[in-house]
Amino acid sequence: MSEREQAEKPEKNEQAEKTAEAAEATTELDRAGSTERRPPVEATAPRPATSERPEQPRLRDVGGTLADYLRGRAAVVAGLARRHRGVAVALALVACVVVALLGVALFRALEVPNGATVEADARAALTAPDYTAGTYGTDTTLVAQDVDVRSVRRAETAPEGAAAQFGAAGYATADVVVGYAGQSVRADQGATLSYALVDGAWQLVPGVSNEGVTWYATAGVDQDKVLSNTHLLLARADEESPAEPALEELYANAAVSVESETFDEDAQTDTLEIVCTRSESFETYECRLTVTFSFSQTNGQWSVSGIEASDSARERNLDALLGTWTGAFQSQQTEGGKCLAAREGGLSVEVLGASVGEEAVTLSGYVSGVAHYHANPGDDAASCEGDVAFEEVQFTARLVSDDGSLVFLADLPEDVGGTSTLTLRFGSEDDPGAASAEVVTTYVYDDAILFIPYERTATFADSFTLQRAE
């Protein structure tokens, strides 16, 4: 008997045994069926009502049948696996290899440059944006601080704007934001980096795409720059509220200082209280500017967004004139002989108040001196009959000129012998700190020529230099 016949003989025997078992089962079933008795079917038996549905198979029975079927299939598969164990193991190994290869392929298809690589490349490839502080900002140098890798995406072709790389197996793009910081300012530079996968390694493709810069203020304006450009602020205040004199001219040589500052980082605003003071020998001006600066996140510069000048910015302050002044006699102007009685009597002026209004600027106080209620002497005289000393005569002097000096004129109360006027002058073109006074006495009297009476007037103008009393 050949080897093939020997191999086929057990299978034939096994097939014969299965056929015999099936036949025996059939015979037993026939015997059991021959003893079964069924009742006769009556033709007149009632039928189910048409409105009633036939009973449906239960879901539990269907599930059980399906479960039995699956268990049967599993048993068959298990039997095949037992009989063909070597083949099953080989197929399992092949499946594992296929899954592994698919995993590697999927990994490579989704692989992108890691965050550390992108961050390092961004620091090396990007440079700090150009920064111009402008009129009010702080000049500073920007230094890279941090890198925020926003996203990294895989691409099969070279990104737009990037040249294709020889031998590249894939491409990727990375969106980053590099933060640069300097004194009082920060810049966030957005950019897109392109990569090519060459020989299993990611290489940065030349040509970084800048996506723009966003600026952010971390501190307020440069106060030194603001003070050096106060004239621009005054001109802006003149535009907001035109009036005379112009603030830019009035405070051209004023002293300026920053009194307070409020920096709002959330609102990106900075508010300064600036005091401009124009001080002269006998008058001062003070202008308080409230200036709000706003920071532009587009160009990184501060600009004026609001300005307001104090209501009293154009008003004189005459407090420097208050106090007691003593006058030393200098000269007398008259027609005819002079009377020098004022040389001994001198002059005293006490300024008690100053008023600055829209209609007038005035000084008020008391004056003491000598009045000449007589005619001109034939020759110069130390004193004359009719010289009258007046004590603490109240006066109100009105500002009549401020061209180079402050000139105030007061009419003293009329006396029985005549009238007098007081002129106060503070400052001059030659000497801004000089102060002087003039008392003019007017005396009217009767005279006669060839026995014909007529009225004559004698005028004496005594000049004094004023010094502040200690």
Side-chain angles (χ1 to χ4, degrees):
M1 183 181 297
S2 64
E3 293 180 356
R4 182 176 180 181
E5 292 176 348
Q6 292 178 356
E8 293 178 352
K9 185 175 183 180
E11 296 181 0
K12 292 180 178 181
N13 292 336
E14 183 178 355
Q15 184 69 25
E17 292 177 358
K18 291 182 178 181
T19 304
E21 290 176 359
E24 183 177 357
T26 304
T27 304
E28 292 178 356
L29 184 61
D30 292 340
R31 293 197 195 101
S34 62
T35 59
E36 182 180 2
R37 297 181 180 274
R38 298 182 179 180
V41 179
E42 296 182 2
T44 59
R47 296 178 178 270
T50 57
S51 60
E52 296 181 0
R53 285 186 174 182
E55 184 178 356
Q56 299 295 326
R58 295 182 180 180
L59 182 60
R60 183 180 302 173
D61 296 338
V62 174
T65 303
L66 180 59
D68 292 341
Y69 173 78
L70 293 177
R71 282 195 295 270
R73 295 300 89 193
V76 172
V77 172
L80 291 174
R82 284 193 299 271
R83 287 193 297 271
H84 305 282
R85 185 170 300 172
V87 176
V89 171
L91 291 176
L93 292 175
V94 171
C96 290
V97 172
V98 171
V99 171
L101 292 176
L102 290 175
V104 170
L106 181 61
F107 174 76
R108 290 182 176 177
L110 300 177
E111 181 186 8
V112 293
N114 59 50
T117 299
V118 174
E119 180 177 345
D121 289 341
R123 289 181 180 273
L126 295 177
T127 58
D130 294 332
Y131 174 60
T132 302
T135 305
Y136 306 108
T138 302
D139 296 321
T140 186
T141 301
L142 299 178
V143 179
Q145 296 291 311
D146 51 69
V147 178
D148 181 11
V149 180
R150 297 291 177 86
S151 65
V152 184
R153 303 178 301 278
R154 183 66 184 264
E156 294 304 322
T157 59
E160 183 178 357
Q165 303 297 301
F166 178 76
Y171 295 91
T173 57
D175 293 330
V176 300
V177 175
V178 182
Y180 297 88
Q183 185 179 357
S184 76
V185 70
R186 175 184 172 88
D188 290 334
Q189 170 74 64
T192 300
L193 307 182
S194 300
Y195 288 88
L197 184 61
V198 180
D199 296 333
W202 288 104
Q203 297 179 1
L204 182 65
V205 177
V208 177
S209 175
N210 291 326
E211 303 298 335
V213 182
T214 300
W215 299 91
Y216 186 79
T218 57
V221 296
D222 186 329
Q223 293 189 11
D224 291 336
K225 280 190 173 182
V226 171
L227 295 179
S228 64
N229 289 286
T230 304
H231 62 286
L232 299 178
L233 302 178
L234 293 169
R236 175 69 176 269
D238 285 328
E239 294 176 1
E240 297 289 338
S241 301
E244 291 296 335
L247 296 177
E248 184 180 6
E249 298 177 1
L250 188 60
Y251 292 93
N253 299 312
V256 294
S257 62
V258 176
E259 186 173 87
S260 66
E261 178 181 19
T262 303
F263 172 62
D264 189 337
E265 186 169 355
D266 293 334
Q268 293 287 276
T269 60
D270 194 20
T271 302
L272 269 61
E273 296 288 340
I274 302 172
V275 179
C276 305
T277 305
R278 173 186 169 183
S279 297
E280 298 182 359
S281 299
F282 303 107
E283 64 178 340
T284 60
Y285 292 86
E286 182 179 274
C287 175
R288 305 180 72 86
L289 292 174
T290 302
V291 187
T292 299
F293 299 89
S294 295
F295 186 80
S296 172
Q297 294 185 332
T298 302
N299 59 22
Q301 294 186 4
W302 289 98
S303 61
V304 178
S305 57
I307 189 168
E308 183 178 354
S310 56
D311 294 337
S312 59
R314 294 177 174 85
E315 293 180 2
R316 288 186 174 91
N317 185 321
L318 301 176
D319 290 347
L321 302 181
L322 302 182
T324 301
W325 301 82
T326 59
F329 179 80
Q330 295 297 308
S331 63
Q332 183 182 85
Q333 299 292 328
T334 186
E335 294 181 1
K338 297 180 179 180
C339 178
L340 305 179
R343 181 172 55 185
E344 297 296 331
L347 184 71
S348 176
V349 179
E350 185 178 7
V351 181
L352 298 179
S355 175
V356 178
E358 294 182 0
E359 299 296 330
V361 178
T362 61
L363 297 178
S364 60
Y366 296 90
V367 60
S368 300
V370 176
H372 305 280
Y373 297 139
H374 57 78
N376 290 91
D379 296 315
D380 293 347
S383 63
C384 298
E385 184 180 355
D387 290 333
V388 177
F390 55 88
E391 298 288 339
E392 296 184 352
V393 176
Q394 188 174 6
F395 73 89
T396 298
R398 181 187 181 96
L399 180 67
V400 294
S401 175
D402 59 357
D403 186 11
S405 61
L406 300 177
V407 181
F408 294 86
L409 177 63
D411 292 326
L412 300 182
E414 185 176 0
D415 202 346
V416 293
T419 59
S420 298
T421 61
L422 171 66
T423 301
L424 299 174
R425 180 177 283 103
F426 298 95
S428 67
E429 294 182 359
D430 298 332
D431 186 1
S436 62
E438 184 180 65
V439 176
V440 177
T441 302
T442 302
Y443 174 68
V444 179
Y445 62 95
D446 294 329
D447 200 357
I449 297 178
L450 299 176
F451 303 104
I452 300 175
Y454 68 94
E455 195 175 78
R456 297 186 62 179
T457 302
T459 303
F460 301 90
D462 296 326
S463 298
F464 304 84
T465 58
L466 296 179
Q467 298 289 333
R468 189 180 295 277
E470 297 181 358

